[in-house]
């Protein structure tokens, strides 16, 4: 029976070997402990190898001295019976011992440990996901390739530099995604570092090959030709460069004639935003994307001073709720339309630690509901892992649920369980609605509790840079602050959806973002938040 459980355990471990590590910083920290264990094992192997080499070296030095003496007069040396005996003994026995010592595999322990741990290592998808996260951060926060490469990021404690190989790898990932804009940025950075004298197994010709093609694909024939000529200076026999040289020259000549025919209009004088071209190529919703990224950087729409003057801080007891009378909560207005309020010191360190502890072992890649099929699936615009915690599994969860009910005055019996989310490298959730729209009539049908009337969001970590919750349509940006929570209604009292609550979680630039949220539904709120006949009261 025990053997069956062992086999089942190993099978389950193998099934969950790939955990999409890049989507959760919290789980990614486990990899550091794995790597630390491997380093310890590797150091044990090195010590064993050093000990083995020490013994071999001592043997070699002893024999070196002996053979020097023996070769002065070989016949006289072996004429001594003791020397003759020892020579026979050495060649018959001792050299065999040396052979066994040299051939002994001191790496067995390390290789065994590495083999066991390798099944839990990140795979190509993780590496690609982390690379794409860097490209996303570069765009959102308008960072140059050089800024990222030298590790000069805001809020960074452990500064890390990128090598030529690292930059080249990012360029290749972009190239594989037909993203020539980022291919150019990172191949240019790799070339810069090579020109500055950095040693690398990646050569300039290889980098120039990718770079010239990426620039050609973006319509800059003259620059592509210039880079191709540079390639040929380094490698005159490069077959593709020789072919491209002739092709680019022909295409440039055609371009010149076309420009002359168009009264001298020159395409290179047109101001073209390369990133806009790339986003159009990928069918990205450009206008909202720009507003979203501006807000993530702390730019964009601002509230007027008149509206700002109507926002207040207060102690709040929700109409003298018995549990809040002696300990009212600190409430701050974050935004007026839609009304977003923040509660300070609303969850303790112990409670946050317990929530993370319960959630971490069961974190799984966060999903979205496909608007067409209704099926839950992963998406590139939601990079995080999440877990669900029920009230009955620990008193802390029950206490948190009760606190949300006391403050909001809404019934938690029909609310969804507490969802805990941990964001990964460049973790984000692009603009979305929490409530089901009219074109999604069956969005929460299986729950039988109506639409999502409101959202409660705890921030359970500080984020040194990035990670804001932004509302692109109205220009609001709420920044993470550990121990606080924000709350807003997704529906008007009439039951109509409030489309101004469309929001997003900005990419985490530096740090580890933990949040937990409670989605509260309509059923059970009939007398707690009465309906209104006005559409947008």
């Amino acid at each position: 029976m025990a053997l069956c459980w062992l086999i089942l355990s190993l099978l389950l471990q193998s099934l969950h070997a790939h955990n999409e590590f890049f989507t959760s910083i919290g789980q990614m920290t486990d990899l550091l402990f794995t790597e630390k264990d491997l380093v310890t094992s590797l150091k044990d192997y090195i010590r064993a190898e050093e000990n083995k080499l020490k013994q071999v070296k001592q043997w070699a030095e002893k024999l070196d001295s002996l053979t020097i003496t023996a070769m002065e007069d070989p016949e006289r040396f072996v004429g001594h019976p003791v020397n003759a005996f020892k020579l026979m003994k050495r060649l018959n026995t001792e050299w065999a011992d040396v052979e066994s010592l040299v051939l002994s595999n001191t790496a067995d322990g390390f290789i065994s440990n590495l083999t066991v741990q390798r099944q839990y290592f990140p795979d190509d998808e993780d590496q690609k996901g982390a690379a794409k996260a860097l490209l996303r951060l570069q765009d959102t926060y308008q960072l140059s390739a050089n800024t990222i490469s030298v590790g000069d990021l805001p809020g960074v404690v452990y500064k890390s530099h990128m090598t030529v190989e690292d930059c080249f790898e990012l360029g290749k990932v972009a190239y594989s995604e037909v993203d020539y804009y980022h291919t150019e940025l990172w191949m240019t950075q790799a070339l810069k570092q090579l020109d500055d004298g950095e040693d690398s197994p990646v050569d300039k010709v290889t980098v120039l090959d990718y770079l010239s093609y990426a620039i050609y694909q973006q319509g800059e024939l003259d620059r592509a030709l210039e880079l191709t000529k540079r390639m040929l200076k380094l490698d005159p026999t490069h077959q593709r460069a020789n072919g491209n040289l002739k092709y680019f020259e022909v295409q440039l000549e055609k371009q010149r004639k076309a420009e002359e025919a168009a009264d001298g209009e020159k395409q290179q004088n047109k101001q073209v935003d390369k990133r806009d071209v790339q986003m159009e190529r990928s069918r990205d919703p450009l206008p909202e994307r720009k507003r979203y990224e501006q807000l993530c950087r702390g730019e964009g729409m601002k509230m007027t001073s008149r509206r700002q003057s109507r926002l207040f801080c207060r102690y709040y007891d929700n109409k003298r709720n018995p549990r809040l009378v002696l300990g009212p909560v600190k409430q701050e207005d974050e935004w007026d339309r839609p009304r977003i309020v923040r509660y300070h010191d609303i969850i303790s360190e112990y409670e946050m630690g317990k929530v993370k502890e319960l959630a971490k072992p069961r974190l799984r890649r966060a999903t979205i509901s496909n608007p067409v099929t209704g099926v839950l699936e992963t998406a590139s615009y939601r990079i995080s892992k999440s877990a669900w915690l029920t009230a009955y599994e620990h008193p802390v969860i029950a206490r948190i649920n009760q606190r949300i009910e006391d403050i909001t005055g809404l019934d938690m019996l029909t609310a969804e369980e507490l969802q805990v989310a941990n964001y990964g490298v460049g973790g984000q959730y692009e603009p979305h609605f929490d409530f089901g729209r009219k074109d999604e009539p069956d969005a929460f049908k299986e729950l039988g509790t109506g639409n999502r009337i409101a959202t409660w969001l705890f921030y359970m970590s500080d984020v040194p840079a990035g990670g804001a919750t932004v509302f692109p349509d109205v220009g609001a940006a709420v920044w993470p602050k550990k121990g606080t929570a924000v709350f807003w209604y997704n529906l008007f009292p009439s039951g109509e959806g409030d489309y101004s609550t469309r929001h997003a979680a900005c990419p985490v630039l530096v740090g580890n973002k933990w949040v937990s949220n409670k989605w509260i539904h309509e059923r059970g709120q009939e007398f707690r938040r009465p309906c209104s006949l006005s559409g947008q009261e």
Side-chain angles (χ1 to χ4, degrees), residues 4 46 48 149 155 288 309 327 344 450 455:
C4 291
I46 291 170
S149 181
E288 183 180 64
S309 67
H344 293 266
T455 296

Side-chain angles (χ1 to χ4, degrees), residues 379-391:
S380 60
Y381 57 81
R382 189 179 189 186
I383 305 298
S384 65
K385 285 189 175 180
S386 59
W388 299 86
L389 303 181
T390 58

Side-chain angles (χ1 to χ4, degrees), residues 186-233:
W186 284 101
M187 290 302 173
T188 299
Q189 181 62 29
L191 187 61
K192 175 184 180 296
Q193 291 179 208
L194 284 171
D195 287 341
D196 289 343
E198 183 178 324
D199 290 330
S200 173
V202 180
D203 60 86
K204 291 183 181 181
V205 172
T206 304
V207 175
L208 284 165
D209 196 8
Y210 278 96
L211 181 57
S212 61
Y213 185 75
I215 288 173
Y216 157 68
Q217 284 289 344
Q218 295 176 91
E220 297 184 67
L221 283 170
D222 48 352
R223 283 188 62 206
L225 179 61
E226 180 185 335
L227 291 168
T228 302
K229 289 178 178 178
R230 183 178 175 185
M231 279 177 65
L232 288 171
K233 283 183 180 179

Side-chain angles (χ1 to χ4, degrees), residues 389-400:
L389 303 181
T390 58
Y392 59 78
E393 61 187 289
H394 198 279
V396 163
I397 309 303
R399 189 161 67 239
I400 288 172

Side-chain angles (χ1 to χ4, degrees), residues 183-305:
T183 303
E184 177 189 347
L185 294 181
W186 284 101
M187 290 302 173
T188 299
Q189 181 62 29
L191 187 61
K192 175 184 180 296
Q193 291 179 208
L194 284 171
D195 287 341
D196 289 343
E198 183 178 324
D199 290 330
S200 173
V202 180
D203 60 86
K204 291 183 181 181
V205 172
T206 304
V207 175
L208 284 165
D209 196 8
Y210 278 96
L211 181 57
S212 61
Y213 185 75
I215 288 173
Y216 157 68
Q217 284 289 344
Q218 295 176 91
E220 297 184 67
L221 283 170
D222 48 352
R223 283 188 62 206
L225 179 61
E226 180 185 335
L227 291 168
T228 302
K229 289 178 178 178
R230 183 178 175 185
M231 279 177 65
L232 288 171
K233 283 183 180 179
L234 296 171
D235 183 4
T237 63
H238 197 284
Q239 185 175 357
R240 184 163 47 252
N242 277 296
N244 286 345
L245 180 68
K246 296 175 183 177
Y247 177 77
F248 292 156
E249 287 174 340
V250 170
Q251 293 301 312
L252 267 174
E253 184 60 30
K254 288 181 179 179
Q255 189 181 84
R256 289 191 190 98
K257 289 179 179 178
E259 288 169 356
E260 289 172 3
D263 299 323
E265 181 184 356
K266 294 185 179 180
Q267 186 162 343
Q268 57 264 36
N269 289 335
K270 294 180 181 178
Q271 295 299 316
V272 178
D273 187 326
K274 288 186 177 182
R275 189 176 173 228
D276 285 354
V277 173
Q278 177 60 37
M279 291 170 79
E280 287 171 3
R281 186 197 304 270
S282 61
R283 299 175 183 174
D284 205 308
L286 190 62
E288 183 180 64
R289 160 70 66 171
K290 284 195 170 182
R291 293 198 305 273
Y292 159 58
E293 292 182 351
Q294 283 179 334
L295 290 170
C296 289
R297 295 192 297 269
E299 304 168 5
M301 298 168 63
K302 302 292 182 184
M303 185 181 289
T304 64
S305 56

Side-chain angles (χ1 to χ4, degrees), residues 403-444:
R403 188 175 308 147
I404 297 172
E405 179 167 329
D406 291 340
I407 294 170
T408 64
L410 299 175
D411 192 346
M412 294 296 111
L413 290 178
T414 56
E416 295 177 48
E417 304 298 352
L418 187 71
Q419 180 182 221
V420 184
N422 180 228
Y423 288 81
V425 184
Q428 63 166 5
Y429 191 0
E430 292 185 8
H432 62 280
F433 298 101
D434 280 351
F435 64 90
R437 275 78 67 211
K438 289 182 178 179
D439 58 348
E440 302 173 300
D442 298 331
F444 307 109

Side-chain angles (χ1 to χ4, degrees), residues 128 132 135 167-184 186-187 207 209-215 217 240 278 281:
K128 186 176 181 180
K132 290 169 73 173
L135 303 182
C167 297
F168 180 69
E169 178 63 29
L170 276 182
K172 284 206 303 179
V173 168
Y175 181 84
S176 69
E177 296 288 306
V178 198
D179 178 358
Y180 300 117
Y181 168 73
H182 288 106
T183 303
E184 177 189 347
W186 284 101
M187 290 302 173
V207 175
D209 196 8
Y210 278 96
L211 181 57
S212 61
Y213 185 75
I215 288 173
Q217 284 289 344
R240 184 163 47 252
Q278 177 60 37
R281 186 197 304 270

